[in-house]
Amino acid sequence: MARTARLVWVDRVPLVFGLDWVPLLGDPDTARARARRQGASHRVVSGDPPAALGMARGLSARLICWSAADLLARSHPRGTVACVLEIGADAWHVLAAHEGVALARADRSYPDAALARQAIQVLRQSHPKLEELRAASSGPQAAQTLALLARQAAACHPLEPIRRRGARLALLGLVACLSAIGWMRWHNGGDAVAAPDPEAQSDWHAALARTLARRPVHGQTGTRALLDMLYRQPARLGGWVLHDLRCTPRADGARWQCVSEYRRQAPRADNRALLRAVPAGWRLDFPSLDVARAAWTLSLPGQRPEPHRLPRTGLLARDWVSALQAVLPAFSMLRLDSARPLIVPAPLDDQGRKQLPPEDFPALATRILRVKGPLRSGMLLAPLAGAVSWHEATLTLAPGIRPDVRASRLTLYLEGTVYENRS
């Protein structure tokens, strides 16, 4: 029998308890259709890559809320953990996760603590190494655990409302009815009722094109060009030594602005020697006697992302992230943030009102990718940059670092946006 989810407000953050969890097999994009067939009001997928589907019932479609079970799973990506939380009078709730995925037989409430702990013992039969978070059972400890889950919600996706096809058809019927009334009123000489703008679809796709043009995909070709420029950066010029370099794109996204700082090292080095040694096109200024800054522009090959060519969410999580994990030992940091929906400013109609997006409008998302490590490791990223738009490149000289596999005196830092298609 389907359960109704329970809502608990913690520090003004609505946490949902009591989802129905089922294993997620195959393409994660099918989870939405499955939740709709089960009559769920909201859904969430747990794990990276997604391995479980959570379905909530009885929640308002306008409510932005988070699954407590999914938040617990995200905070424990390794091993098996479980806890009992007192969330109300005669309500002891069991949360459990295995390897960062909410367990299907948990996320349930019991009328007393003994039954809840008995449920954990049942889970232990399938997961002998289960670790029970005993300090989080009741009183101040439970409140502290709930507060930790609530704070984590800011960095995680909320539950996704399930749109009903019946409601969509009813809305279309209402629009058609209003259009018919407007047509009759216009023919009767009355005030015309505003009909949907036939150009709304093209306006939305034009807005999407403008948004994507600001962050072009650099791909393998653009990434290699960026790294080649960093490799060619002179470490010494006229007795001056490179200290750091930073490149960021201009507003148009095609041309980059680069600024490098050099420090005077040789006793007889002076400004004239540096001016004679710098490459053509560099602009120099000297903020102090021992510091010089050089600025120049860089053109990187890139192209506007095509939504239908962007990787699907499921394939990206399975294949592309696995490829990143393979090169992880060559870097001191390689971090991929959670996906966030790509925000496209809504176009306005002739009356200045925001237009509704068309039904076939692509659902795109982005993730921030941050990489730090030896400059020599940078080329490992080029074959993986098919859907990456870089927006910062930094090179730092650190003579005191002892070189090894994940460290070098020339340290590279890259930050970019990864596109994915959720349509």
Side-chain angles (χ1 to χ4, degrees):
M1 181 177 177
R3 296 173 291 161
T4 300
R6 178 166 183 164
L7 196 65
V8 177
W9 289 81
V10 181
D11 297 335
R12 298 184 179 180
V13 176
L15 300 182
V16 182
F17 295 80
L19 275 67
D20 286 318
W21 291 93
V22 295
L24 185 58
L25 304 176
D27 189 351
D29 291 339
T30 63
R32 185 180 294 107
R34 183 173 182 178
R36 183 182 294 112
R37 289 195 303 268
Q38 296 292 328
S41 62
H42 293 70
R43 67 124 196 176
V44 66
V45 291
S46 181
D48 189 6
L53 167 65
M55 294 173 286
R57 294 170 176 83
L59 300 176
S60 170
R62 297 182 179 180
L63 179 66
I64 300 177
C65 50
W66 287 261
S67 163
D70 182 51
L71 294 176
L72 178 78
R74 290 177 180 273
S75 62
H76 294 84
R78 297 290 180 268
T80 307
V81 298
C83 68
V84 177
L85 294 173
E86 186 179 12
I87 60 173
D90 300 326
W92 296 77
H93 201 87
V94 174
L95 298 177
H98 174 68
E99 298 295 329
V101 180
L103 284 180
R105 290 184 293 166
D107 203 3
R108 300 178 181 178
S109 289
Y110 299 87
D112 59 61
L115 288 174
R117 297 196 184 283
Q118 184 178 349
I120 288 185
Q121 294 306 317
V122 174
L123 292 173
R124 197 184 300 275
Q125 295 177 5
S126 301
H127 303 277
K129 295 184 179 181
L130 182 146
E131 176 188 356
E132 184 178 354
L133 307 177
R134 297 182 181 276
S137 58
S138 63
Q141 292 86 2
Q144 183 178 6
T145 301
L146 290 171
L148 289 174
L149 294 177
R151 285 198 292 271
Q152 188 179 345
C156 299
H157 288 295
L159 294 176
E160 176 186 337
I162 303 299
R163 294 182 179 180
R164 301 294 172 201
R165 292 179 177 175
R168 187 180 301 173
L169 291 174
L171 179 60
L172 291 175
L174 177 60
V175 170
C177 181
L178 291 176
S179 299
I181 293 174
W183 182 85
M184 289 185 293
R185 291 187 61 185
W186 180 79
H187 276 274
N188 289 330
D191 295 333
V193 177
D197 186 355
E199 298 182 354
Q201 183 172 5
S202 61
D203 290 345
W204 267 100
H205 284 282
L208 174 62
R210 289 191 296 269
T211 300
L212 295 175
R214 288 194 287 267
R215 288 274 175 88
V217 167
H218 295 106
Q220 183 170 345
T221 302
T223 303
R224 289 185 180 277
L226 176 60
L227 293 170
D228 285 342
M229 182 276 297
L230 296 176
Y231 293 149
R232 294 193 304 268
Q233 181 69 19
R236 296 175 180 274
L237 285 172
W240 298 68
V241 177
L242 175 68
H243 181 260
D244 57 40
L245 178 153
R246 184 172 185 265
C247 295
T248 55
R250 291 181 173 179
D252 59 5
R255 298 182 66 81
W256 284 48
Q257 180 68 44
C258 296
V259 177
S260 60
E261 181 175 299
Y262 283 82
R263 302 284 177 88
R264 194 172 73 92
Q265 188 176 65
R268 302 184 65 178
D270 57 19
N271 293 2
R272 284 178 294 185
L274 181 59
L275 288 168
R276 289 194 298 266
V278 297
W282 283 25
R283 302 180 302 278
L284 284 179
D285 71 274
F286 301 89
S288 70
L289 291 176
D290 295 318
V291 175
R293 291 197 182 97
W296 70 97
T297 57
L298 172 69
S299 295
L300 286 184
Q303 57 185 354
R304 189 182 72 194
E306 296 293 339
H308 66 280
R309 294 184 178 178
L310 295 176
R312 298 281 179 175
T313 299
L315 294 178
L316 184 141
R318 186 190 68 188
D319 299 335
W320 186 76
V321 171
S322 296
L324 282 183
Q325 292 164 340
V327 302
L328 182 59
F331 298 93
S332 59
M333 181 190 74
L334 205 162
R335 183 180 304 162
L336 184 65
D337 290 355
S338 299
R340 296 182 178 275
L342 178 69
I343 304 301
V344 179
L348 305 179
D349 60 16
D350 294 338
Q351 286 73 40
R353 298 171 300 187
K354 293 183 178 180
Q355 301 183 62
L356 294 176
E359 288 291 331
D360 62 345
F361 195 70
L364 306 183
T366 60
R367 299 170 183 259
I368 298 300
L369 175 65
R370 297 180 178 88
V371 184
K372 185 178 181 181
L375 176 61
R376 62 176 179 272
S377 300
M379 278 301 177
L380 295 174
L381 299 172
L384 307 178
V388 179
S389 172
W390 300 112
H391 44 77
E392 182 178 348
T394 300
L395 186 63
T396 305
L397 179 65
I401 290 182
R402 183 177 180 180
D404 59 24
V405 176
R406 307 176 73 175
S408 169
R409 292 187 176 93
L410 282 173
T411 300
L412 169 70
Y413 174 80
L414 291 174
E415 184 172 312
T417 297
V418 184
Y419 288 99
E420 64 182 73
N421 191 333
R422 292 187 161 187
S423 301

Short mmCIF file of all heavy atoms in Angstrom, two decimals, residues 56-96:
data_model
loop_
_atom_site.label_atom_id
_atom_site.label_comp_id
_atom_site.label_asym_id
_atom_site.label_seq_id
_atom_site.Cartn_x
_atom_site.Cartn_y
_atom_site.Cartn_z
N ALA A 56 7.31 10.29 -3.59
CA ALA A 56 6.52 10.86 -2.51
C ALA A 56 5.10 11.08 -2.98
O ALA A 56 4.85 11.34 -4.16
CB ALA A 56 7.13 12.18 -2.03
N ARG A 57 4.18 11.02 -2.05
CA ARG A 57 2.76 11.21 -2.36
C ARG A 57 2.15 12.19 -1.37
O ARG A 57 2.56 12.24 -0.22
CB ARG A 57 2.00 9.87 -2.31
CG ARG A 57 2.44 8.89 -3.39
CD ARG A 57 1.86 7.51 -3.19
NE ARG A 57 2.21 6.61 -4.30
CZ ARG A 57 3.36 5.95 -4.38
NH1 ARG A 57 4.25 6.09 -3.41
NH2 ARG A 57 3.62 5.17 -5.41
N GLY A 58 1.18 12.94 -1.87
CA GLY A 58 0.43 13.83 -1.00
C GLY A 58 1.06 15.17 -0.76
O GLY A 58 0.63 15.89 0.15
N LEU A 59 2.07 15.57 -1.54
CA LEU A 59 2.72 16.87 -1.36
C LEU A 59 2.21 17.86 -2.40
O LEU A 59 1.89 17.48 -3.53
CB LEU A 59 4.24 16.73 -1.48
CG LEU A 59 4.92 15.79 -0.48
CD1 LEU A 59 6.41 15.71 -0.79
CD2 LEU A 59 4.70 16.27 0.95
N SER A 60 2.19 19.12 -2.02
CA SER A 60 1.77 20.16 -2.94
C SER A 60 2.81 20.34 -4.04
O SER A 60 4.02 20.35 -3.78
CB SER A 60 1.56 21.49 -2.20
OG SER A 60 1.38 22.56 -3.10
N ALA A 61 2.34 20.50 -5.28
CA ALA A 61 3.26 20.67 -6.41
C ALA A 61 4.04 21.98 -6.30
O ALA A 61 5.11 22.12 -6.91
CB ALA A 61 2.48 20.63 -7.72
N ARG A 62 3.53 22.95 -5.54
CA ARG A 62 4.21 24.24 -5.41
C ARG A 62 5.28 24.24 -4.33
O ARG A 62 6.05 25.20 -4.21
CB ARG A 62 3.19 25.34 -5.10
CG ARG A 62 2.15 25.55 -6.20
CD ARG A 62 1.21 26.67 -5.83
NE ARG A 62 0.22 26.91 -6.89
CZ ARG A 62 -0.73 27.84 -6.83
NH1 ARG A 62 -0.80 28.63 -5.76
NH2 ARG A 62 -1.57 27.98 -7.82
N LEU A 63 5.35 23.17 -3.53
CA LEU A 63 6.27 23.12 -2.41
C LEU A 63 7.65 22.68 -2.87
O LEU A 63 7.80 21.67 -3.56
CB LEU A 63 5.75 22.16 -1.34
CG LEU A 63 6.61 21.99 -0.09
CD1 LEU A 63 6.66 23.29 0.69
CD2 LEU A 63 6.08 20.86 0.78
N ILE A 64 8.67 23.43 -2.49
CA ILE A 64 10.07 23.05 -2.73
C ILE A 64 10.58 22.37 -1.48
O ILE A 64 10.67 22.99 -0.41
CB ILE A 64 10.92 24.28 -3.09
CG1 ILE A 64 10.37 24.97 -4.35
CG2 ILE A 64 12.37 23.89 -3.29
CD1 ILE A 64 11.11 26.22 -4.72
N CYS A 65 10.90 21.09 -1.58
CA CYS A 65 11.27 20.31 -0.40
C CYS A 65 12.33 19.29 -0.77
O CYS A 65 12.60 19.03 -1.96
CB CYS A 65 10.04 19.64 0.21
SG CYS A 65 9.04 18.74 -1.00
N TRP A 66 12.94 18.67 0.25
CA TRP A 66 14.05 17.75 0.06
C TRP A 66 13.79 16.44 0.79
O TRP A 66 13.17 16.41 1.86
CB TRP A 66 15.35 18.35 0.58
CG TRP A 66 15.90 19.44 -0.27
CD1 TRP A 66 16.88 19.36 -1.20
CD2 TRP A 66 15.49 20.83 -0.28
NE1 TRP A 66 17.12 20.57 -1.79
CE2 TRP A 66 16.28 21.50 -1.24
CE3 TRP A 66 14.53 21.55 0.44
CZ2 TRP A 66 16.14 22.85 -1.51
CZ3 TRP A 66 14.39 22.90 0.17
CH2 TRP A 66 15.19 23.55 -0.79
N SER A 67 14.28 15.35 0.23
CA SER A 67 14.17 14.03 0.85
C SER A 67 15.24 13.88 1.92
O SER A 67 16.45 14.01 1.64
CB SER A 67 14.33 12.94 -0.20
OG SER A 67 14.60 11.70 0.40
N ALA A 68 14.82 13.59 3.16
CA ALA A 68 15.78 13.39 4.24
C ALA A 68 16.64 12.17 3.97
O ALA A 68 17.85 12.16 4.25
CB ALA A 68 15.04 13.25 5.57
N ALA A 69 16.06 11.10 3.41
CA ALA A 69 16.83 9.88 3.12
C ALA A 69 17.91 10.14 2.08
O ALA A 69 19.04 9.66 2.19
CB ALA A 69 15.88 8.78 2.65
N ASP A 70 17.59 10.94 1.05
CA ASP A 70 18.57 11.24 0.02
C ASP A 70 19.68 12.12 0.57
O ASP A 70 20.86 11.94 0.24
CB ASP A 70 17.89 11.92 -1.16
CG ASP A 70 18.86 12.22 -2.30
OD1 ASP A 70 19.57 11.29 -2.71
OD2 ASP A 70 18.92 13.37 -2.75
N LEU A 71 19.35 13.08 1.44
CA LEU A 71 20.37 13.94 2.05
C LEU A 71 21.32 13.12 2.92
O LEU A 71 22.53 13.36 2.93
CB LEU A 71 19.71 15.05 2.87
CG LEU A 71 18.89 16.08 2.07
CD1 LEU A 71 18.23 17.06 3.02
CD2 LEU A 71 19.78 16.83 1.08
N LEU A 72 20.78 12.16 3.67
CA LEU A 72 21.64 11.30 4.48
C LEU A 72 22.56 10.48 3.58
O LEU A 72 23.76 10.33 3.87
CB LEU A 72 20.79 10.37 5.35
CG LEU A 72 21.59 9.38 6.20
CD1 LEU A 72 22.17 10.08 7.42
CD2 LEU A 72 20.74 8.20 6.64
N ALA A 73 22.02 9.95 2.48
CA ALA A 73 22.84 9.15 1.56
C ALA A 73 23.96 9.99 0.96
O ALA A 73 25.10 9.52 0.84
CB ALA A 73 21.95 8.56 0.47
N ARG A 74 23.67 11.23 0.60
CA ARG A 74 24.69 12.09 0.00
C ARG A 74 25.81 12.42 0.99
O ARG A 74 26.96 12.62 0.60
CB ARG A 74 24.06 13.37 -0.53
CG ARG A 74 23.18 13.17 -1.75
CD ARG A 74 22.52 14.47 -2.18
NE ARG A 74 21.67 14.29 -3.33
CZ ARG A 74 22.08 14.35 -4.59
NH1 ARG A 74 23.36 14.60 -4.84
NH2 ARG A 74 21.24 14.17 -5.58
N SER A 75 25.48 12.49 2.27
CA SER A 75 26.49 12.82 3.28
C SER A 75 27.30 11.60 3.69
O SER A 75 28.26 11.73 4.45
CB SER A 75 25.81 13.43 4.51
OG SER A 75 24.91 12.53 5.10
N HIS A 76 26.94 10.39 3.21
CA HIS A 76 27.69 9.17 3.53
C HIS A 76 27.90 8.38 2.23
O HIS A 76 27.24 7.37 1.99
CB HIS A 76 26.94 8.32 4.56
CG HIS A 76 26.82 8.96 5.91
ND1 HIS A 76 25.82 9.86 6.21
CD2 HIS A 76 27.59 8.85 7.02
CE1 HIS A 76 25.98 10.26 7.46
NE2 HIS A 76 27.04 9.67 7.97
N PRO A 77 28.82 8.85 1.37
CA PRO A 77 29.01 8.19 0.07
C PRO A 77 29.71 6.84 0.16
O PRO A 77 29.77 6.12 -0.83
CB PRO A 77 29.87 9.20 -0.70
CG PRO A 77 30.60 9.97 0.36
CD PRO A 77 29.67 10.04 1.53
N ARG A 78 30.25 6.47 1.31
CA ARG A 78 30.94 5.20 1.47
C ARG A 78 30.34 4.41 2.63
O ARG A 78 29.95 4.98 3.64
CB ARG A 78 32.44 5.41 1.71
CG ARG A 78 33.16 6.08 0.55
CD ARG A 78 33.26 5.12 -0.64
NE ARG A 78 33.96 5.74 -1.77
CZ ARG A 78 33.35 6.39 -2.74
NH1 ARG A 78 32.04 6.52 -2.73
NH2 ARG A 78 34.04 6.92 -3.73
N GLY A 79 30.30 3.09 2.46
CA GLY A 79 29.83 2.22 3.53
C GLY A 79 28.31 2.21 3.65
O GLY A 79 27.59 2.75 2.81
N THR A 80 27.85 1.57 4.72
CA THR A 80 26.41 1.46 5.01
C THR A 80 26.13 2.08 6.36
O THR A 80 26.78 1.73 7.36
CB THR A 80 25.95 -0.01 5.00
OG1 THR A 80 26.37 -0.63 3.79
CG2 THR A 80 24.45 -0.11 5.14
N VAL A 81 25.20 3.01 6.43
CA VAL A 81 24.87 3.70 7.67
C VAL A 81 23.36 3.71 7.86
O VAL A 81 22.59 3.59 6.89
CB VAL A 81 25.40 5.16 7.68
CG1 VAL A 81 26.91 5.19 7.58
CG2 VAL A 81 24.78 5.96 6.55
N ALA A 82 22.94 3.82 9.11
CA ALA A 82 21.52 3.93 9.44
C ALA A 82 21.37 4.71 10.72
O ALA A 82 22.29 4.76 11.55
CB ALA A 82 20.89 2.54 9.59
N CYS A 83 20.23 5.34 10.88
CA CYS A 83 19.96 6.08 12.10
C CYS A 83 18.47 6.09 12.39
O CYS A 83 17.65 5.86 11.50
CB CYS A 83 20.50 7.51 12.03
SG CYS A 83 19.63 8.56 10.85
N VAL A 84 18.14 6.33 13.66
CA VAL A 84 16.75 6.46 14.10
C VAL A 84 16.57 7.88 14.60
O VAL A 84 17.32 8.36 15.45
CB VAL A 84 16.42 5.45 15.22
CG1 VAL A 84 14.99 5.65 15.70
CG2 VAL A 84 16.63 4.04 14.73
N LEU A 85 15.57 8.57 14.07
CA LEU A 85 15.31 9.95 14.43
C LEU A 85 13.89 10.09 14.96
O LEU A 85 12.94 9.60 14.34
CB LEU A 85 15.49 10.88 13.23
CG LEU A 85 16.90 11.01 12.65
CD1 LEU A 85 16.87 11.83 11.37
CD2 LEU A 85 17.83 11.65 13.66
N GLU A 86 13.74 10.76 16.07
CA GLU A 86 12.42 11.08 16.60
C GLU A 86 11.94 12.35 15.92
O GLU A 86 12.48 13.44 16.15
CB GLU A 86 12.47 11.26 18.11
CG GLU A 86 11.09 11.45 18.76
CD GLU A 86 11.18 11.61 20.25
OE1 GLU A 86 12.29 11.80 20.77
OE2 GLU A 86 10.12 11.56 20.92
N ILE A 87 10.93 12.24 15.06
CA ILE A 87 10.49 13.38 14.27
C ILE A 87 9.11 13.88 14.70
O ILE A 87 8.54 14.74 14.02
CB ILE A 87 10.47 13.04 12.77
CG1 ILE A 87 9.52 11.88 12.48
CG2 ILE A 87 11.87 12.72 12.28
CD1 ILE A 87 9.34 11.59 11.01
N GLY A 88 8.59 13.37 15.78
CA GLY A 88 7.29 13.81 16.27
C GLY A 88 6.78 12.88 17.35
O GLY A 88 7.44 11.90 17.71
N ALA A 89 5.62 13.20 17.86
CA ALA A 89 5.02 12.35 18.88
C ALA A 89 4.71 10.98 18.30
O ALA A 89 4.04 10.86 17.28
CB ALA A 89 3.74 13.01 19.41
N ASP A 90 5.23 9.94 18.96
CA ASP A 90 5.02 8.56 18.54
C ASP A 90 5.47 8.32 17.10
O ASP A 90 4.83 7.57 16.36
CB ASP A 90 3.53 8.17 18.68
CG ASP A 90 3.04 8.28 20.12
OD1 ASP A 90 3.85 8.02 21.02
OD2 ASP A 90 1.88 8.64 20.32
N ALA A 91 6.56 8.96 16.69
CA ALA A 91 7.08 8.78 15.33
C ALA A 91 8.59 8.67 15.40
O ALA A 91 9.29 9.67 15.60
CB ALA A 91 6.67 9.94 14.43
N TRP A 92 9.07 7.43 15.27
CA TRP A 92 10.51 7.16 15.22
C TRP A 92 10.83 6.69 13.81
O TRP A 92 10.31 5.67 13.36
CB TRP A 92 10.87 6.09 16.26
CG TRP A 92 10.61 6.54 17.66
CD1 TRP A 92 9.41 6.61 18.29
CD2 TRP A 92 11.58 7.02 18.59
NE1 TRP A 92 9.55 7.09 19.57
CE2 TRP A 92 10.88 7.35 19.77
CE3 TRP A 92 12.96 7.19 18.55
CZ2 TRP A 92 11.53 7.85 20.90
CZ3 TRP A 92 13.60 7.68 19.67
CH2 TRP A 92 12.90 8.01 20.83
N HIS A 93 11.68 7.45 13.15
CA HIS A 93 11.90 7.23 11.71
C HIS A 93 13.29 6.64 11.46
O HIS A 93 14.28 7.08 12.04
CB HIS A 93 11.76 8.55 10.94
CG HIS A 93 11.47 8.35 9.49
ND1 HIS A 93 10.20 8.20 8.99
CD2 HIS A 93 12.31 8.25 8.42
CE1 HIS A 93 10.25 8.04 7.68
NE2 HIS A 93 11.51 8.06 7.31
N VAL A 94 13.33 5.65 10.56
CA VAL A 94 14.58 4.98 10.19
C VAL A 94 15.05 5.50 8.83
O VAL A 94 14.29 5.46 7.85
CB VAL A 94 14.39 3.45 10.13
CG1 VAL A 94 15.66 2.78 9.61
CG2 VAL A 94 14.04 2.90 11.51
N LEU A 95 16.28 5.99 8.79
CA LEU A 95 16.94 6.36 7.54
C LEU A 95 18.16 5.46 7.37
O LEU A 95 18.86 5.17 8.35
CB LEU A 95 17.38 7.83 7.55
CG LEU A 95 16.30 8.90 7.68
CD1 LEU A 95 16.93 10.28 7.75
CD2 LEU A 95 15.32 8.82 6.53
N ALA A 96 18.42 5.04 6.15
CA ALA A 96 19.58 4.18 5.90
C ALA A 96 20.07 4.39 4.47
O ALA A 96 19.29 4.73 3.57
CB ALA A 96 19.23 2.70 6.12
#
